[in-house]
Amino acid sequence: YGLLGIPLYTSDKKAIKSAHRRVVKLVHPDVLGGDSAELQLIVTEAYQTLSDEHKKKAYDNKLKKGKPNLKKSEWSPQAPPNIKAVFVDETYCS
């Protein structure tokens, strides 16, 4: 949800699709350069999870139980390249 910039448990498919399109434009290679391929994959995976009813329900259940969607072996403490240039903490923007 945070990656796409939408409120938790949003079920409005139009809002999810609109958010995906907005973020994909931000991480496009013409904007960020050649290193944005990994970011595009991450954003697309988030969209696919939230736009599929069954995947979204499973993800929401994991969030409610406090279990992350990633296995420990899949998690990396390093952000993809240029991630800080794309995503801004909205609390400082208002």
Side-chain angles (χ1 to χ4, degrees):
Y1 293 97
L3 183 63
L4 296 179
I6 55 177
L8 263 155
Y9 309 115
T10 298
S11 59
D12 181 9
K13 292 194 180 227
K14 285 183 181 180
I16 294 169
K17 188 173 189 174
S18 174
H20 172 252
R21 287 182 177 176
R22 179 180 42 82
V23 176
V24 164
K25 288 178 185 176
L26 291 174
V27 297
H28 192 274
D30 291 344
V31 176
L32 289 182
D35 293 339
S36 67
E38 187 177 354
L39 285 173
Q40 285 187 315
L41 290 174
I42 292 168
V43 170
T44 300
E45 184 177 345
Y47 170 70
Q48 289 172 348
T49 299
L50 296 179
S51 63
D52 181 274
E53 197 171 313
H54 298 292
K55 288 181 183 179
K56 182 182 181 313
K57 186 175 182 178
Y59 182 75
D60 288 348
N61 287 336
K62 286 182 182 182
L63 282 178
K64 289 176 185 175
K65 291 179 182 177
K67 296 180 182 176
N69 198 23
L70 297 176
K71 297 175 186 171
K72 189 173 183 179
S73 61
E74 296 173 331
W75 183 80
S76 171
Q78 292 183 323
N82 297 321
I83 190 91
K84 290 181 182 177
V86 176
F87 301 101
V88 178
D89 184 353
E90 293 177 5
T91 57
Y92 295 104
C93 297
S94 45

